[in-house]
Amino acid sequence: MDCIFCQIVAGEIPADILYQDDEVVAFRDINPLAPTHLLIIPRKHIPSLVDLSEVDSPLVGDMVNAANQLAKREGVTESGYRLVLDCGKQGGQLVPHLHMHLLGGRQLSDALG
Ligand code: 5GP
Ligand code: ZN
């Protein structure tokens, strides 16, 4: 499996892992776009949102719950933060393993695109 995020889950390549449970793993983005920029991913290799089956869809809730806990730890709950799920080429998705970005710690742009 040459998926970089699966390799992070397996501990085969290093990452600054901040949270993990049976379903999800969270770590700092290697190229942070904000003072807090974390990635929350399912352990299971799901390439993108379009590949998410109904059975796996609760994973997205698990990812949001982990993100909310991490936002507290990062101290951005009061100031605010953004959760982003890129899907596919025009959605800006580069890594083909489902992931949620948590961005915070500065005023984010109003522009979403
Ligand atoms: P995407 O553009 O697919 O929505 O986001 C992929 C994110 O993964 C990017 O923000 C990129 O900086 C991050 N990323 C890519 N490779 C690695 C890596 O090996 N380690 C970590 N921690 N982040 C990575
Ligand atoms: Zn993967």
Side-chain angles (χ1 to χ4, degrees):
M1 174 68 84
D2 61 0
C3 170
I4 198 153
F5 287 177
C6 280
Q7 288 173 307
I8 287 175
V9 168
E12 288 164 10
I13 62 167
D16 190 0
I17 293 176
L18 302 176
Y19 175 88
Q20 44 188 326
D21 63 26
D22 289 347
E23 308 299 340
V24 308
V25 176
F27 49 92
R28 286 194 198 282
D29 195 293
I30 205 167
N31 181 27
L33 301 177
T36 291
H37 186 173
L38 313 183
L39 297 169
I40 300 100
I41 71 172
R43 285 184 183 277
K44 182 174 180 180
H45 181 80
I46 299 167
S48 88
L49 276 180
V50 290
D51 304 297
L52 189 70
S53 68
E54 239 175 85
V55 168
D56 284 332
S57 63
L59 285 173
V60 176
D62 296 335
M63 290 159 71
V64 171
N65 285 331
N68 287 339
Q69 286 183 44
L70 286 159
K72 268 190 209 137
R73 266 204 250 159
E74 292 283 306
V76 298
T77 299
E78 292 295 315
S79 50
Y81 53 100
R82 180 174 291 164
L83 301 181
V84 179
L85 276 166
D86 292 342
C87 180
K89 186 171 179 289
Q90 289 200 340
Q93 183 181 6
L94 294 175
V95 176
H97 181 129
L98 182 65
H99 53 278
M100 179 180 282
H101 297 258
L102 189 169
L103 294 152
R106 69 168 170 82
Q107 182 62 52
L108 298 171
S109 151
D110 287 341
L112 273 179

